[in-house]
Amino acid sequence: MDDTTARATMQRFGQAFFARDAALLAQAMTPDAQWHFAIGSDAPHGRVRVGVAGFLQGIAENDALFEALRFDDVLCQALGEDKIVMTYRVTGQHRGGAFFTLRGIELITVVDGRVSMKDVFWKQYRAASEGERSDQVHDTTGRRTHLADR
């Protein structure tokens, strides 16, 4: 796959996805396509939704979770014969919560020109707690350490 084909594949999928159009989604993705969310309880994959109905359910779940989501600086590039790497900046707001801006990356698998896997990764953040410096991290035991000590 080349970058032009990758962009066309994601444009067709994106139009169906953002329109929430089941018929267009069925044309743009395989019947067993999986969406692995950046967050969720289906360890280790995050939240997992399958097929057109699952994608529509995931969109509805995101609508319930977020007051707003906007994707900017989207870049799609082919990776080998059947993968697309998509990077972007997402801004949004959790319902009743604070605004956020994160960087995201998605690894998309394509079969016969249709999306078969949408695996989402968002850069996570948390505010430093009082008394914690930005150069401190929590080690695997939960203890705070300095980056310089690692």
Side-chain angles (χ1 to χ4, degrees):
M1 176 181 337
D2 60 22
D3 289 345
T4 300
T5 302
R7 285 190 294 275
T9 300
M10 292 312 297
Q11 184 175 23
R12 186 175 74 240
F13 173 79
Q15 288 172 341
F17 183 87
F18 289 111
R20 302 156 193 243
D21 186 309
L24 290 177
L25 279 169
Q27 294 172 15
M29 53 189 267
T30 62
D32 60 348
Q34 294 185 21
W35 180 4
H36 294 194
F37 288 70
I39 55 176
S41 60
D42 298 329
H45 304 294
R47 188 176 0 134
V48 177
R49 297 295 174 254
V50 179
V52 170
F55 275 60
L56 292 172
Q57 177 187 355
I59 293 168
E61 291 167 344
N62 276 352
D63 286 346
L65 184 60
F66 301 108
E67 284 185 41
L69 280 179
R70 180 176 174 86
F71 298 87
D72 293 299
D73 304 327
V74 177
L75 177 65
C76 296
Q77 293 183 297
L79 178 65
E81 292 301 314
D82 68 344
K83 300 274 192 287
I84 298 169
V85 175
M86 181 169 65
T87 61
Y88 49 82
R89 180 173 45 89
V90 59
T91 55
Q93 181 181 16
H94 288 277
R95 292 226 173 259
F99 286 93
F100 62 86
T101 299
L102 301 171
R103 290 186 344 219
I105 185 170
E106 298 189 16
L107 183 59
I108 310 294
T109 304
V110 178
V111 173
D112 297 327
R114 297 162 63 191
V115 170
S116 68
M117 171 75 77
K118 175 179 162 59
D119 203 357
V120 180
F121 303 87
W122 283 5
K123 203 69 154 156
Q124 301 297 310
Y125 73 93
R126 68 172 179 79
S129 59
E130 191 168 322
E132 183 177 32
R133 298 187 339 222
S134 62
D135 63 344
Q136 292 177 323
V137 295
H138 290 85
D139 66 16
T140 56
T141 66
R143 295 183 302 242
R144 281 188 288 179
T145 61
H146 269 127
L147 289 174
D149 297 337
R150 301 193 110 207

